[in-house]
Amino acid sequence: MITPPSAVVLAEARQRLTALATPTGALGRLEGLAAWLAACQGVCPPRPLDRVRAVILAGDHGVSHDRVSAYPRAVTAVMVRAFCAGRAGANSLARQHGVSLRVLDLGVDDDLEELPAEVSAYRVGPSEPIDRADALSAADCRYALRAGQIIADVEIDAGADLLIVGDMGIGNTTPAAAVIAATFGLTADQVVGRGTGIDDVRLRRKSEVIAAALRRVGDRAADPEVRLAALGAADFAATVGFLRTAARRGVPVLLDGIVSVAAAGVAEDLEPGMIAWCAAGHRSTEPAQQLALEKLGLEPILDLDLRLGEGTGALTALPVLRSAALLLAEVALLEDLLPAPAGD
Amino acid sequence: MITPPSAVVLAEARQRLTALATPTGALGRLEGLAAWLAACQGVCPPRPLDRVRAVILAGDHGVSHDRVSAYPRAVTAVMVRAFCAGRAGANSLARQHGVSLRVLDLGVDDDLEELPAEVSAYRVGPSEPIDRADALSAADCRYALRAGQIIADVEIDAGADLLIVGDMGIGNTTPAAAVIAATFGLTADQVVGRGTGIDDVRLRRKSEVIAAALRRVGDRAADPEVRLAALGAADFAATVGFLRTAARRGVPVLLDGIVSVAAAGVAEDLEPGMIAWCAAGHRSTEPAQQLALEKLGLEPILDLDLRLGEGTGALTALPVLRSAALLLAEVALLEDLLPAPAGD
């Protein structure tokens, strides 16, 4: 069981919010975000989020051979190279907001040989097609969970005061939707979404792949680690390990799209209480992400129809979370603004 | 008739968006925002928003003597002093985002004598209670419209690439709701909201004040300038003049809460096409603001239950708009990332 953020500081933050020179409740959802951050930090007012660190965990997926995406499998490697060159959406957002960004290959179907060796330092390999085989062996899943732990440890040791984990992998919304269905008892039709923008034919195919995977795995999915190995991928397992480590070490996380939220569902089953360290950056257009956020009790900061992945939803939401913290710290208390009562 | 943002550049921006190394549509609503900014600037990709300037137009309202707010009338002056001291919510957000912020007294019921003289340079005076008298004389309304024009001219001449106008005035959601009702043909019950957080008794009182004001003014409200004088206030009229000037001079505006949106409705009637230069920062909890945004065809960037005013909703949304512009400018084109075709 994970130690929750401080209830004492949460109460202190709520009290301070009512004393600010703003009408009670006028800061809306910024109030809850500010109080949550204070509780995570164990101090009110919270410190500004000056050392935000993001990682993108990339991998290829067996299902991407099966026409479930609008893009060819090779695009995963193209985008990993783009991250390393600083030219993708996540890079632009990370630069804007002063966020450190690393990309790591957990199982890209490409040797990426011209990239720095550390990019593939935790590589496990692409997943199997989940409708026909377990995505990963149990041993590979454990290895990837452990890799995610180390990846988070590195960021936390570097001083992270907030973590973001993004995803890259053509086809990855198929296993992510399957993991969410298995975690929350939903059907393939409920969780399937258009991912990168697929047509109706591919959408039906994708739903069939998810349904077949759920049938194949059956009751084995009740065990969160088995579920992850059977329906997930190496990059998903690393994401689960990353989230679990952040919560264990008391570092808050801003979740992104369907992959990070699928991983959060598994991480919460593995390590109850983990989700108290997470806020949701945005509501994606993927139905599975929306359903999982609801089941996890998370209300997203942004709702802008984003569906890019890469951590971009969380990175776009970051300034709002930062503002919440700064408002709680910087706005005057009403009593300090009112004229002192007359007296000698 | 206002010259619209460039349709040619809008088309160019949409074309560039589809060519980015992101799935088509994956940036969601950021795509529309980026294209709008490019069209406003007349250049694609758009320049970063480095010179954002905000003003808060403050004033007192006759209705605040009549128990329509949870706060006493004197709080308006307290908050103007807080803005000048840099201690309010808008100050914190403006500092965070490098936004220049000025507060101007259009009609605060206080001499504010210890503040710099320029704060009250455009002062007209508090409004009359709108259920019993016109808020302003026609001459004062014209003066305030002209003041708003000058206030915008100063910001634009200082190099503003985006403008924000915030409000401060205890009781101001009552006239703002009345103006919106008169602009869009809505009833008092449809537009009335809880403002700073009033109870049911005050809410009924507030609705009665709005209904009485609408009855009193009747068909005279069809003329936008008469509507503004009858139901508005000096700070509202200055906001209308400010918005109209921004649009005339081709500077985009990020709207805030109920007052700026009420003013936008009047400005659009005075100067058709003005609204094409506006984006909506946030959806406030005030029903009138939400209804007016819908009527104006504006979808807000944020939906965080904010109801503070001061420009805080627009200031909180600003980084999202900035990100939209930067993503369109910085993300690589997919064709630049793909390996060159084999050839000699």
Side-chain angles (χ1 to χ4, degrees):
Chain A
M1 185 76 192
I2 296 274
T3 306
S6 167
V8 171
V9 175
L10 188 74
E12 203 182 320
R14 289 198 174 129
Q15 200 159 20
R16 184 178 172 89
L17 282 162
T18 65
L20 295 181
T22 57
T24 305
L27 290 172
R29 294 201 40 231
L30 297 181
E31 301 195 357
L33 291 169
W36 169 72
L37 262 183
C40 289
Q41 295 182 2
V43 60
C44 176
R47 292 180 295 272
L49 294 172
D50 292 334
R51 300 183 311 279
V52 180
R53 302 182 72 91
V55 297
I56 297 172
L57 305 183
D60 273 306
H61 298 269
V63 296
S64 68
H65 290 299
D66 292 331
R67 306 183 311 282
V68 294
S69 175
Y71 288 80
R73 184 172 169 95
V75 167
T76 304
V78 169
M79 290 309 301
V80 170
R81 294 188 171 96
F83 296 128
C84 291
R87 303 197 61 195
N91 301 104
S92 171
L93 291 161
R95 275 194 301 271
Q96 292 169 41
H97 303 318
V99 172
S100 124
L101 178 66
R102 277 200 299 165
V103 57
L104 293 162
D105 156 29
L106 271 293
V108 178
D109 192 5
D110 189 295
D111 59 18
L112 301 172
E113 62 180 349
E114 80 288 13
L115 296 182
E118 61 259 35
V119 170
S120 294
Y122 304 100
R123 179 185 172 79
V124 174
S127 70
E128 299 297 318
I130 57 171
D131 53 338
R132 304 194 290 276
D134 278 5
L136 294 176
S137 69
D140 280 353
C141 186
R142 273 196 303 278
Y143 179 91
L145 279 163
R146 169 88 179 132
Q149 178 188 326
I150 298 168
I151 294 164
D153 278 335
V154 168
E155 300 299 333
I156 297 167
D157 293 345
D161 53 19
L162 182 82
L163 289 169
I164 289 171
V165 54
D167 65 277
M168 171 48 61
I170 295 302
N172 70 13
T173 63
T174 301
V179 167
I180 286 170
T183 301
F184 298 109
L186 302 166
T187 66
D189 283 345
Q190 286 175 301
V191 295
V192 72
R194 290 186 188 270
T196 45
I198 54 174
D199 60 21
D200 289 347
V201 173
R202 285 182 190 231
L203 189 71
R204 274 194 300 277
R205 168 80 190 128
K206 184 172 174 179
S207 185
E208 283 161 14
V209 167
I210 295 168
L214 293 171
R215 273 196 310 273
R216 185 186 64 73
V217 178
D219 293 344
R220 292 167 60 221
D223 180 299
E225 202 168 318
V226 174
R227 184 192 319 148
L228 192 57
L231 298 171
D235 46 324
F236 289 22
T239 305
V240 171
F242 184 95
L243 294 173
R244 181 163 72 169
T245 303
R248 280 182 181 163
R249 295 190 60 181
V251 177
V253 176
L254 193 54
L255 296 174
D256 184 47
I258 182 172
V259 173
S260 71
V261 173
V266 176
E268 178 65 14
D269 280 352
L270 281 174
E271 200 91 37
M274 189 286 310
I275 206 69
W277 294 90
C278 298
H282 81 123
R283 187 189 314 278
S284 102
T285 55
E286 285 297 298
Q289 196 253 14
Q290 302 176 13
L291 290 163
L293 287 179
E294 206 174 295
K295 297 277 187 180
L296 291 167
L298 295 175
E299 202 179 344
I301 296 173
L302 298 180
D303 187 359
L304 295 172
D305 296 337
L306 301 180
R307 51 179 170 82
L308 180 56
E310 307 181 3
T312 53
L315 287 164
T316 305
L318 175 61
V320 177
L321 184 61
R322 280 180 163 156
S323 289
L326 285 165
L327 285 164
L328 181 51
E330 294 185 1
V331 173
L333 303 183
L334 186 58
E335 65 175 27
D336 293 340
L337 297 181
L338 295 177
D344 60 338
Chain B
M1 185 76 192
I2 297 274
T3 306
S6 166
V8 171
V9 175
L10 188 73
E12 203 183 321
R14 288 196 174 131
Q15 198 159 21
R16 184 178 172 90
L17 282 161
T18 65
L20 295 181
T22 57
T24 305
L27 290 170
R29 293 202 39 232
L30 298 180
E31 301 195 357
L33 292 168
W36 169 74
L37 263 182
C40 289
Q41 294 182 2
V43 59
C44 177
R47 292 180 296 270
L49 295 171
D50 292 334
R51 301 182 310 278
V52 179
R53 302 183 72 92
V55 297
I56 297 172
L57 305 183
D60 273 307
H61 298 269
V63 296
S64 68
H65 291 297
D66 292 331
R67 307 183 311 283
V68 293
S69 176
Y71 288 80
R73 184 171 168 95
V75 167
T76 304
V78 168
M79 291 308 301
V80 170
R81 293 187 172 96
F83 295 128
C84 292
R87 304 197 60 197
N91 301 104
S92 172
L93 290 161
R95 275 194 300 273
Q96 291 169 42
H97 303 316
V99 172
S100 123
L101 178 66
R102 276 199 302 164
V103 57
L104 293 163
D105 156 30
L106 272 292
V108 179
D109 193 4
D110 189 295
D111 59 19
L112 302 172
E113 63 180 349
E114 81 287 13
L115 297 181
E118 62 259 35
V119 170
S120 295
Y122 304 101
R123 177 185 173 78
V124 175
S127 70
E128 299 297 318
I130 57 170
D131 52 339
R132 303 195 290 278
D134 278 4
L136 293 177
S137 69
D140 280 353
C141 186
R142 272 195 305 276
Y143 180 92
L145 278 164
R146 169 89 179 131
Q149 178 187 326
I150 298 167
I151 293 164
D153 278 334
V154 169
E155 301 299 334
I156 296 167
D157 293 345
D161 53 19
L162 181 83
L163 290 169
I164 289 172
V165 54
D167 65 277
M168 171 50 59
I170 295 300
N172 70 11
T173 61
T174 300
V179 168
I180 286 170
T183 301
F184 298 109
L186 302 167
T187 66
D189 283 347
Q190 287 175 300
V191 296
V192 71
R194 290 185 187 271
T196 46
I198 54 175
D199 60 21
D200 289 347
V201 172
R202 285 182 190 232
L203 189 71
R204 274 194 299 277
R205 169 80 191 127
K206 183 171 174 178
S207 186
E208 283 160 14
V209 168
I210 295 168
L214 293 172
R215 273 195 310 273
R216 185 186 64 73
V217 178
D219 292 344
R220 292 167 60 221
D223 180 299
E225 202 167 320
V226 174
R227 184 191 320 149
L228 191 56
L231 298 171
D235 46 323
F236 290 23
T239 305
V240 171
F242 183 95
L243 294 174
R244 183 165 68 169
T245 304
R248 280 181 180 163
R249 295 190 59 183
V251 177
V253 176
L254 193 54
L255 297 174
D256 185 47
I258 181 170
V259 173
S260 70
V261 173
V266 177
E268 178 65 15
D269 280 353
L270 281 174
E271 199 90 36
M274 189 288 310
I275 207 68
W277 294 90
C278 298
H282 80 122
R283 185 189 315 277
S284 102
T285 56
E286 285 297 299
Q289 195 253 13
Q290 301 175 15
L291 290 164
L293 287 180
E294 207 174 295
K295 298 276 188 182
L296 291 167
L298 295 174
E299 201 179 344
I301 296 173
L302 297 180
D303 187 0
L304 294 172
D305 295 337
L306 301 179
R307 52 178 171 81
L308 180 56
E310 307 181 3
T312 53
L315 287 164
T316 305
L318 174 60
V320 177
L321 185 59
R322 281 180 163 157
S323 289
L326 286 165
L327 284 165
L328 181 52
E330 294 185 1
V331 173
L333 303 184
L334 186 57
E335 64 174 28
D336 293 340
L337 296 180
L338 295 177
D344 60 339

